[in-house]
Structures are given as C-alpha cells and as structure tokens.
C-alpha cells in the first residue's frame, strides 16, 4: 500500500515540474539561394555584360506574437585577392518578387541599391506571423575592375519590434568571377534599351547607338547586328523594306558601313576591327527613311549585337534592344491653284474673249489605310465685282488624272458647276495617298460683261 502511494506522489511531482517549465518560442531566419548551395554566386561575368540576376529564398519562422522586420546590409563589399573591390554604387541591387510574401509588407518591390547601411527589406503583420518570400539580386555591368575572383558578405538581421526578443543574424557569402580586361559597351543616349524612330520631325527620325570598345582584344573581331523579325505593328502590318536604314560614323581603327544601308533579317557586320583588334569608339545610326505607303502606327522588332572574335566559335551576345518606329497619322489635303488661293478666278473676260480654263491640283496625304473621298462645295456661281453673274450652263468642271492617279475620278466628263456639294474623287479601297486635278471651264463668253469673275470653292477630305 505504501509503495503505490509513493508512485502516485512521484507522478504528481513530475506533472508539477512540467507545468512550470517555459515553452521554447520559435524565432528563426533561413536564407537560401534558389539554385542551391550556400553562396549567392553570380558566376562568370564579362566586363561588357549588362548584368546577372540571382534569386534568394527567405524563410522566417516566428511564434512570439510580436511584429518583426528584416534588415539587410552589405557587411563586406566584394573584393579580390589583391584587395580590389567591385564598387557597390550603381552595381549591386535588390528587389522582391511581388506576391511572394503572404502576410507582411515588402519594402523593396522596386529595384533598390544594396548598400553598407541598413535597409528594411520586410515588415511582418502586427501579429508577427511566419512568412516567406523571394528576393532578386542583380550584379550590373559594365564592370570597370580587374579580372579575377571576388567575394563579399551580406547580412540579414531579424529584429522583433517592441520586444526583448534577441535579434537573429545570418551572413550570406556573395561571389563572382570577372573574366576579361577588355569589354565592349553599347549604350543609347538616354541609357534605355529602346531605339525610337518617329516620323513627326527630322530630329526624331534618327536614333543613335554608341559603341565603346576598351582594352583591345588582341585579335581581329567583328560586331554583328541581327534583326529578329520584320518591323511589325500590333495589327500585324509590316513596315516596308527600306523604310529604316543603318550607317556608322566616327570609326577610327576599324571599318563599317558609312553609307545608309537598309536593315534586313540577315545578320550584318556593322564593325570589323583591324588585325590587332585595337580599341575603338563609334556611333551607329538608325534612320527612318521613306515612310510612303506605310500605314500609321507603331512598328516594333528586336535588335541584337554579337561579338565574333574567333572563326568557328559561337558569337557572343553583347546587347539586345527594342527598335520602335512610330509612323505619324497623316490625313491632309493640299491644293495648288493658279491664283494661289481657294478662289476660282477668270480675269479680263469679255464678249470677244475665247473660252477659259482654271485648274486646281489636288494632293491627298493619307496613311490611315481607310477609303476616303474629296468633296467640293461651291457657295455661288461666277460673279464680278458688280455682282453680275455668268449663266451656270456656261461654267463646267471635269476631273482628270495627275501622274499615276489610283482612285476613281467622279467627274471625268464636263459637268455643270452647281452650288452645294459635289464628290470629285474617291480613293482606292486601301486609302492610298493620291492626286488628281480639277479643270474648271468657261465654255463661251458671248454676252458676258467685261471684267474679272470669281467663285469661292471649298474642298474637303473625309473618310468613307
């Protein structure tokens, strides 16, 4: 009986001890490269490379019930064995992939420089819920450093807000290998990756690309320009061949096309160095040439540049740009008359004067791709200063071709000029730019009082 009582007392004592022992809170930080391993390794980077991106997965576990934040800083910049460092400014950046955090707020959804100072990356919700998200680190070139292997360290610190919980700190090694002391830098004037050409003004019809070849490759090399596909609008129309041309200028040591040459889908050598591959600088110009016959709109394609420095080896991609051509909308009517204005004028008429003609040349500029018509509106017949008029049956018009007129002439035979609207011309179905002329005829002048006679006429252009 005593033995059983002792067992019960021991069990009660054990339960009492367990009840007063504190539960261990979970508060941890895990930093893991998406590709695996323990280092954020950017791999081999050429000095001419525009940049390399690497993803980092962050996992935070917390059940302390307090809000927390994640702080990042560059603990050690990336340096080589000689102590030379890759500059932090304008080189190392971070941004978070949107939507990867479930509960808290990411402070770096826009690209943000990684610096030696503290940067808030993430703040949890008020309950301090566990969370995970993905960061993208970018090492951007061109790199003005010596070739070699570079290593650095970034720190991540998990800090509880308004809590005595000790912070958690994790170190992440960063590394890369810079390959060559020579590089080719390609840049647009505004630093963007878009080459824009516009038909709106002469200045906007040119877009330049600057090539800076530093260090020298020690052997002959070529830069090849490749157009991915035809310049095409959103509705599938292609810009006609020859609308955009390319030429180089300011080449010092090599050679390239100095005369405007139409871009094609064939890879073209736009620069070839001398035999020793010396450094060089030059400009490549895209020029919007002739846009006649092209429909208004925005046409796009990709332009890539490759370095070929050894025969038989695959060319190395240097840079890729978006080539964008904007053809401005045109829907204009131009008139050319003997009098230079919008007035039909017959001078010095009289009973003994011969019949007269008055011509108006009509030119339509249109790239809308829609059928249109040209209409005439006459307010009144021919009258002189005294208000005397010429009988309407003596005043006629007819339309005639001017050059290679493509549309339909609506008055090919002499027609009495009547007040009001008269359709003179209808374009082809494609709404092609066109031209024609209107010939106004004064059939006879017998019985006409001497003097100058005129009629006001208005031409209008409209879509069908």
């Amino acid at each position: 009986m005593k033995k059983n009582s002792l067992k019960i007392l021991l069990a009660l004592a054990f339960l009492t001890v367990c009840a007063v022992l504190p539960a261990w809170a979970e508060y941890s930080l895990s930093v893991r490269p998406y590709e695996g391993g323990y280092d954020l390794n950017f791999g081999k980077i050429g000095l001419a490379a525009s940049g390399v991106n690497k993803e980092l997965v962050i996992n935070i576990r917390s059940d302390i019930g307090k809000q927390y934040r994640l702080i990042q800083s560059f603990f050690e910049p990336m340096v080589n064995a000689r102590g030379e460092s890759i500059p932090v400014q304008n080189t190392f950046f971070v941004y978070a992939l949107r939507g990867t955090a479930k509960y808290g707020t990411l402070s770096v959804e826009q690209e943000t420089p990684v610096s030696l100072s503290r940067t808030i990356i993430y703040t949890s919700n008020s309950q301090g819920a566990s969370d995970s998200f993905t960061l993208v680190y970018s090492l951007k070139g061109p790199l003005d450093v010596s070739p070699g292997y570079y290593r650095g360290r970034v720190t991540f610190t998990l800090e509880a807000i308004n809590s005595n919980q000790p912070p958690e700190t994790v170190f992440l090694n960063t590394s890369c290998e810079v390959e060559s002391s020579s590089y080719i830098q390609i840049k647009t004037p505004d630093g963007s990756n878009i080459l824009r050409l516009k038909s709106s003004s002469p200045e906007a019809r040119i877009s330049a690309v600057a090539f800076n070849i530093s260090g020298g490759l020690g052997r002959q090399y070529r830069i090849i320009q490749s157009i991915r596909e035809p310049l095409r609008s959103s509705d599938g129309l292609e810009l006609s061949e020859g609308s955009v041309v390319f030429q180089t200028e300011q080449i010092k040591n090599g050679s390239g096309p100095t005369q405007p040459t139409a871009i094609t889908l064939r890879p073209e050598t736009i620069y070839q160095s001398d035999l020793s591959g010396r450094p060089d600088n030059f400009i490549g110009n895209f020029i919007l040439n002739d846009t006649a016959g092209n429909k208004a709109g925005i046409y796009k394609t990709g332009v890539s540049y490759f370095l070929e420095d050894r025969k038989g080896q695959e060319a190395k991609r240097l840079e890729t740009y978006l080539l964008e051509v904007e053809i401005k909308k045109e829907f204009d009517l131009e008139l050319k008359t003997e009098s230079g204005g919008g007035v039909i004028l017959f001078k010095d008429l009289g009973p003994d004067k011969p019949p007269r003609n008055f011509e108006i040349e009509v030119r339509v500029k249109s790239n809308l791709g829609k059928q249109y018509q040209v209409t005439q509106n006459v307010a009144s017949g021919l009258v002189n200063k005294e208000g005397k008029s010429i009988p309407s049956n003596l005043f006629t018009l007819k339309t005639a071709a001017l050059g290679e007129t493509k549309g339909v002439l609506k008055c090919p035979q002499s027609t009495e000029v009547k007040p009001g609207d008269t359709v003179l011309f209808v374009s082809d179905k494609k709404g092609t730019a066109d031209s024609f002329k209107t010939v106004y005829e004064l059939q006879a002048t017998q019985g006409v009082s001497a003097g100058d006679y005129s009629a006001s006429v208005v031409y209008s252009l409209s879509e069908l």
Side-chain angles (χ1 to χ4, degrees), residues 2 22 32 65 172 198 264 270 277 285 301 310 415 420 436 445 449:
K2 291 182 180 179
R32 177 176 56 84
L172 176 70
K198 298 182 180 181
T264 68
I270 62 161
N285 290 315
T301 190
R310 288 180 179 173
T415 304
F436 67 96
T445 59
S449 300

Side-chain angles (χ1 to χ4, degrees), residues 145-179:
V145 296
S146 302
Y149 193 74
Y150 290 78
R151 291 181 63 87
R153 282 204 294 177
V154 177
T155 62
F156 296 89
T157 303
L158 190 63
E159 296 180 349
I161 300 172
N162 298 324
S163 171
N164 294 327
Q165 178 72 34
E168 289 285 324
T169 300
V170 172
F171 291 89
L172 176 70
N173 293 326
T174 60
S175 60
C176 72
E177 184 178 354
V178 179
E179 287 190 294

Side-chain angles (χ1 to χ4, degrees), residues 211-255:
F211 294 79
N212 177 18
I213 307 166
S214 300
L217 297 180
R219 54 187 176 273
Q220 192 172 43
Y221 58 89
R222 297 191 304 159
I223 297 177
I224 298 169
Q225 178 175 276
S226 176
I227 308 298
R228 183 189 308 158
E229 58 186 6
L231 280 154
R232 189 176 287 116
S233 65
S234 58
D235 52 4
L237 294 178
E238 293 183 6
L239 205 63
S240 59
E241 188 173 344
S243 297
V244 178
V245 297
F246 180 86
Q247 70 177 123
T248 60
E249 60 179 352
Q250 302 178 20
I251 292 177
K252 302 175 183 63
N253 299 321
S255 61

Side-chain angles (χ1 to χ4, degrees), residues 31-37 39-42 52-58 94-97 100 133-138 172:
V31 176
R32 177 176 56 84
Y34 178 80
E35 296 176 354
D39 290 3
L40 194 63
N41 188 350
F42 291 94
V52 179
N53 293 340
K54 294 293 180 180
E55 294 184 7
L56 193 68
V57 179
I58 306 292
V94 64
Y95 67 90
L97 290 182
T100 54
F133 49 88
T134 302
L135 301 177
V136 180
Y137 285 85
S138 301
L172 176 70

Side-chain angles (χ1 to χ4, degrees), residues 43-239:
K44 294 182 178 180
I45 302 176
L47 291 172
S50 58
V52 179
N53 293 340
K54 294 293 180 180
E55 294 184 7
L56 193 68
V57 179
I58 306 292
N59 281 292
I60 301 172
R61 303 293 300 172
S62 177
D63 60 6
I64 64 173
K66 295 288 186 179
Q67 190 176 32
Y68 60 84
R69 62 192 172 200
L70 181 66
I71 308 295
Q72 166 206 273
S73 64
F74 223 146
F75 184 73
E76 294 177 358
M78 298 176 73
V79 298
N80 62 12
R82 296 185 297 276
E84 300 169 336
S85 64
I86 296 176
V88 175
Q89 189 175 9
N90 300 324
T91 303
F92 207 27
F93 298 85
V94 64
Y95 67 90
L97 290 182
R98 292 183 180 182
T100 54
K102 295 180 181 179
Y103 304 111
T105 302
L106 291 164
S107 304
V108 289
E109 288 192 341
Q110 301 297 325
E111 195 172 66
T112 305
V114 178
S115 66
L116 298 174
S117 59
R118 289 161 51 93
T119 301
I120 297 176
I121 297 293
Y122 169 87
T123 303
S124 74
N125 60 11
S126 59
Q127 293 79 30
S130 300
D131 211 341
S132 64
F133 49 88
T134 302
L135 301 177
V136 180
Y137 285 85
S138 301
L139 185 60
K140 294 192 174 183
L143 301 174
D144 188 15
V145 296
S146 302
Y149 193 74
Y150 290 78
R151 291 181 63 87
R153 282 204 294 177
V154 177
T155 62
F156 296 89
T157 303
L158 190 63
E159 296 180 349
I161 300 172
N162 298 324
S163 171
N164 294 327
Q165 178 72 34
E168 289 285 324
T169 300
V170 172
F171 291 89
L172 176 70
N173 293 326
T174 60
S175 60
C176 72
E177 184 178 354
V178 179
E179 287 190 294
S180 173
S181 60
S182 299
Y183 71 90
I184 300 175
Q185 182 186 61
I186 308 174
K187 293 184 70 176
T188 58
D190 61 0
S192 73
N193 66 341
I194 303 178
L195 299 162
R196 291 186 174 91
L197 299 173
K198 298 182 180 181
S199 64
S200 55
S201 68
E203 297 80 12
R205 298 177 80 95
I206 301 176
S207 188
V209 187
F211 294 79
N212 177 18
I213 307 166
S214 300
L217 297 180
R219 54 187 176 273
Q220 192 172 43
Y221 58 89
R222 297 191 304 159
I223 297 177
I224 298 169
Q225 178 175 276
S226 176
I227 308 298
R228 183 189 308 158
E229 58 186 6
L231 280 154
R232 189 176 287 116
S233 65
S234 58
D235 52 4
L237 294 178
E238 293 183 6
L239 205 63

